[in-house]
Amino acid sequence: MPASSSASSSPASSSGAITDVAGIEVGHFSDTRRPTGCTVILAREGAVAGVDVRGAAPGTRETDLLSPGNLVQQVHGVMLAGGSAWGLAAAEGAMRWLEERNIGMDVRFGTLPIVPAAVLFDLPMGDARIRPDAAAGYAACEAATRDAPEEGNVGAGSGALVGKLFGVHRAMKGGIGTASVTVGGVTVGALIAVNALGDVIDPDTAQPVAGARTEDGSALLDTRRALLRGDLPKPLLAGTNTTLGVIATDAVLTKVQANRLASVAHDGLARAINPVHTMSDGDTLFALATGRVPLEGPGAESSPGMTVLGTMAAEAVARATLRAVLAARSVTVGELHVPCAADLAATKG
């Protein structure tokens, strides 16, 4: 039976969580019929939002309205989902859940929840006809809490893989991870679903942790070095990868600043994934500002400015990306066995 989840079996106590940001809730839906699912990030009281799409093969919904020059000022949730473009239907379930609770934008004739969304490609994992739909999105909302969200093979990270440049048979398990950073009374958190074409790198050591493996599958290949020495990647189907994420802060931001925060946060992906932002990735990051702590004016004397906030966002993204693969567990679907970072670490030990 399909399942939803909000409890944490891999608590983010050492690295924090996006739910450390006041006003943010997270819920997962994981479909046990095959590895796929969706994750909702809720801001019931509304949040100023921005987005930055860097990958060349994105699957998104309602991103144009986040442009600083456009009318809508706040969103009420963000949906991240597997299932490729079909998975965008999960946002409809989140809209229904929010509307039932009278959460949204007053448009005179009703309350309209604003829920941007982005999807990743997890169709190689089992029956591709099973993918997140409106019911899955609704279930994710039902599961949403302020608790630190579960990480690894859950929600949008259920069917995620990393290191597919030399074929899926040499890839490893991706997942979803979270982290937060607090400076000067302001918190920035990130939630990242990692389904990258490239390897995931430990940003502190610059060493690959999960990604493409050697032919015998016993060790990491190191995709960057393999490409630079001339190893030829396998032919790729466009858009079959993608890393998605949400950065949230309790700072007061404008839409211009929120979009800038989403842009700078991609530096965290660049530290933790190599190669990143490829022609076969749809890498997309959203930024949400719940507005609990001012960056300027009265009460903001000790608060960090945008430069520090951007540094915090990139750090949270890098840490969350690493946690996504460290929390992931191996899966077997049919004849495809996909090991996780812990498996290779045990072999090395």
Side-chain angles (χ1 to χ4, degrees):
M1 291 290 291
S4 58
S5 173
S6 61
S8 176
S9 63
S10 52
S13 56
S14 60
S15 294
I18 192 172
T19 47
D20 293 335
V21 175
I24 295 296
E25 301 172 53
V26 173
H28 297 304
F29 171 83
S30 304
D31 197 326
T32 56
R33 294 174 297 171
R34 84 166 181 94
T36 192
C38 59
T39 298
V40 69
I41 300 87
L42 294 177
R44 297 191 193 213
E45 297 179 20
V48 174
V51 68
D52 192 322
V53 181
R54 293 285 181 92
T60 59
R61 163 182 167 144
E62 300 278 41
T63 52
D64 283 352
L65 62 80
L66 302 183
S67 174
N70 290 340
L71 176 66
V72 172
Q73 292 300 305
Q74 293 191 326
V75 306
H76 307 95
V78 174
M79 181 64 70
L80 309 178
S84 191
W86 287 293
L88 291 172
E92 298 174 15
M95 289 185 67
R96 179 164 62 88
W97 188 90
L98 289 163
E99 183 186 16
E100 290 175 357
R101 288 152 182 80
N102 200 36
I103 298 171
M105 179 181 178
D106 183 1
V107 292
R108 183 179 175 186
F109 301 101
T111 300
L112 178 63
I114 306 298
V115 185
V119 293
L120 55 79
F121 190 99
D122 60 3
L123 303 183
M125 300 294 285
D127 187 347
R129 295 169 297 179
I130 300 171
R131 53 249 185 179
D133 55 12
Y138 191 97
C141 292
E142 286 279 273
T145 75
R146 289 292 316 279
D147 296 337
E150 189 176 354
E151 300 173 285
N153 302 18
V154 294
S158 296
L161 304 175
V162 297
K164 290 162 278 187
L165 202 59
F166 296 94
V168 172
H169 66 290
R170 291 168 65 179
M172 292 178 64
K173 190 69 184 71
I176 196 165
T178 188
S180 69
V181 179
T182 299
V183 175
V186 172
T187 299
V188 177
L191 184 74
I192 309 294
V194 185
N195 187 54
L197 179 67
D199 297 343
V200 173
I201 311 298
D202 185 329
D204 288 331
T205 66
Q207 296 302 307
V209 174
R213 291 171 291 141
T214 54
E215 282 284 2
D216 65 4
S218 64
L220 287 169
L221 177 67
D222 194 327
T223 295
R224 177 177 66 90
R225 287 186 167 86
L227 292 174
L228 292 175
R229 66 173 172 256
D231 290 8
L232 295 177
K234 295 288 186 182
L236 299 168
L237 179 63
T240 54
N241 305 284
T242 298
T243 297
L244 308 174
V246 175
I247 300 96
T249 180
D250 48 17
V252 176
L253 299 182
T254 65
K255 282 184 75 176
V256 171
Q257 290 172 323
N259 275 276
R260 185 60 183 165
L261 192 66
S263 178
V264 174
H266 274 278
D267 292 352
L269 291 187
R271 292 174 200 161
I273 299 173
N274 197 331
V276 71
H277 304 142
T278 74
M279 293 298 292
S280 292
D281 285 290
D283 302 332
T284 301
L285 294 181
F286 297 91
L288 303 178
T290 61
R292 305 297 180 89
V293 182
L295 284 183
E296 300 175 354
E301 290 80 5
S302 62
S303 295
M306 279 300 296
T307 297
V308 177
L309 205 67
T311 301
M312 294 164 65
E315 182 68 17
V317 167
R319 292 182 188 179
T321 301
L322 178 61
R323 287 190 62 84
V325 296
L326 293 180
R329 292 297 174 260
S330 61
V331 296
T332 300
V333 179
E335 296 182 358
L336 177 64
H337 175 72
V338 184
C340 63
D343 294 336
L344 262 63
T347 301
K348 289 172 62 177

